[in-house]
Amino acid sequence: MKALVYHGPGSKAWEDVPDAQVQEPTDVVVKVDTTTICGTDLHILQGDVAAVTDGRILGHEAVGTITAVGDAVRGFSVGDRVLVPAITKCGRCEYCQRGMPSHCQTVGGIGWIFGHLIDGTQAELVRVPYADTSLYAVPESVSDEQAIFLADSLPTGYEVGVLAGGVRPGNTVAVVGAGAVGLSAVLTTGLWGASKVIAVDSNKFRLERALEFGATDAIEVGPGTVSDVVSLTDGLGVDVAIEAVGYPETLLTAASLVRPGGTIANIGVHGTPVEIPMQDMWIANVKLTMGLVDTVSIPTLLKMVASGRIPAEKMGTHKFHFDQFDEAYDVFGNAAANLALKVVITP
């Protein structure tokens, strides 16, 4: 089979590799029909994830068709159409039992193993461990292009942003960063009845998309960013500020937008330390949350997508084939210049 293989910082190649095979009784093999690229893949290529070593197949999101099943698999059969999510879970360890498969102990202490600790989904075939507890059947009414964004970005925006931030009916919400994950948060704030959703970004295209995705207001980053947002909340600040970029300045912006008693929900992956104003936050009763997605919301989000409540297909702005992986990475890696949100990659 062919796969996109990591060969150290800045180096990857679409090349021939041995076919993915069932190795354990709980495995299945999935023929990848649709995959995509995540910001984490870009971090890997920059050499930021030391656990990813030369020879690893990249990618952790896929929709596909099962071609082989292990002897212990009971919930899936050859020919089933499935969603392969970013998080793998055994279903039995302490963290899986607590609803935190992001830290599944059985698969290595972290649920994100595809393209990280084992070979990933940017390939013609992928081996999926613990298939019964990790895979999701895709309804006929949900297209591959809709389902692929349920593998990571939509659950991340919803779980680490909306749910962790405690969004409730009538709340005012600011989403700092209107990339794919920030827009996923915008898309799902409506499920909890936010009265005002303010998107904050430096890119006009993303702000336009945010309004299409359900934001009530769009603020372009500038000298008056904080005052502009606060003025939309009767001078109080927002109930929930969701940070979806991962830079020190964007987290500080989110902190400056939240009102006393509010919550800062950090989604962004931070690669450097951030000095936050604890001297101001503690006395304002501000809560700060953060974390890795668990993808436990996928069944709920699948229903919302199937019903048309969440138009997940809006996330895909560019389409490529497997032999265009280099071009796909170039476009996604320069998303702002290419007016890109997420790329859809198929055979």
Side-chain angles (χ1 to χ4, degrees):
M1 71 176 194
K2 283 189 173 293
L4 191 70
V5 182
Y6 174 74
H7 289 300
S11 179
K12 64 186 184 307
W14 179 248
E15 60 188 51
D16 290 314
V17 298
D19 285 356
Q21 297 182 346
V22 168
Q23 298 179 17
E24 300 290 341
T26 54
D27 291 352
V28 303
V29 174
V30 173
K31 178 177 74 68
V32 176
D33 298 320
T34 307
T35 187
T36 186
I37 301 170
C38 177
T40 305
D41 297 318
L42 301 182
H43 280 290
I44 290 170
L45 283 171
Q46 291 168 3
D48 295 341
V49 186
V52 181
T53 55
D54 188 354
R56 176 69 66 229
I57 296 172
L58 296 169
H60 53 265
E61 303 157 86
V63 178
T65 306
I66 294 177
T67 61
V69 298
D71 292 340
V73 175
R74 296 292 178 265
F76 297 96
S77 303
V78 170
D80 286 351
R81 181 165 162 259
V82 294
L83 170 68
V84 182
I87 300 298
T88 301
K89 55 182 181 287
C90 74
R92 297 191 302 272
C93 73
E94 180 177 350
Y95 283 97
C96 283
Q97 291 292 317
R98 288 173 54 186
M100 287 182 63
S102 57
H103 294 281
C104 176
Q105 298 299 290
T106 307
V107 298
I110 186 165
W112 167 44
I113 59 174
F114 290 118
H116 181 205
L117 305 182
I118 69 170
D119 286 335
T121 60
Q122 291 172 9
E124 293 178 326
L125 299 169
V126 60
R127 178 180 75 91
V128 180
Y130 296 99
D132 277 333
T133 46
S134 299
L135 292 176
Y136 297 89
V138 180
E140 289 185 8
S141 60
V142 176
S143 69
D144 286 4
E145 190 166 336
Q146 290 174 312
I148 189 62
F149 303 121
L150 291 167
D152 190 351
S153 56
L154 268 168
T156 297
Y158 183 54
E159 294 177 19
V160 190
V162 176
L163 294 184
V167 176
R168 292 296 180 268
N171 278 176
T172 54
V173 180
V175 179
V176 180
V181 173
L183 288 173
S184 295
V186 170
L187 267 178
T188 54
T189 47
L191 300 179
W192 287 92
S195 63
K196 190 179 288 291
V197 181
I198 307 163
V200 180
D201 203 287
S202 59
N203 184 279
K204 292 181 185 296
F205 167 72
R206 290 179 174 179
L207 291 174
E208 290 170 359
R209 282 303 180 100
L211 292 171
E212 293 176 14
F213 281 31
T216 57
D217 301 272
I219 300 296
E220 187 172 357
V221 172
T225 299
V226 174
S227 60
D228 288 346
V229 173
V230 171
S231 69
L232 293 171
T233 63
D234 299 323
L236 298 175
V238 298
D239 296 292
V240 182
I242 297 174
E243 195 281 339
V245 183
Y247 293 150
E249 56 267 33
T250 50
L251 181 56
L252 292 175
T253 296
S256 66
L257 300 177
V258 71
R259 68 179 66 186
T263 301
I264 306 162
N266 180 84
I267 303 176
V269 178
H270 290 268
T272 58
V274 184
E275 184 176 332
I276 58 175
M278 290 292 289
Q279 72 280 4
D280 300 322
M281 291 169 61
W282 77 270
I283 203 168
N285 295 75
V286 170
K287 181 191 299 183
L288 173 62
T289 67
M290 66 195 78
L292 177 63
V293 68
D294 289 299
T295 67
V296 294
S297 65
I298 286 177
T300 297
L301 295 174
L302 259 175
K303 292 177 183 177
M304 295 295 99
V305 171
S307 70
R309 183 70 177 82
I310 297 177
E313 66 279 1
K314 286 187 174 182
M315 299 293 295
T317 54
H318 293 70
K319 297 181 180 181
F320 299 93
H321 294 298
F322 281 178
D323 59 0
Q324 298 174 301
F325 261 110
D326 282 343
E327 185 179 350
Y329 265 86
D330 287 343
V331 167
F332 186 70
N334 297 280
N338 290 298
L339 304 183
L341 297 179
K342 291 284 281 186
V343 298
V344 178
I345 309 171
T346 60

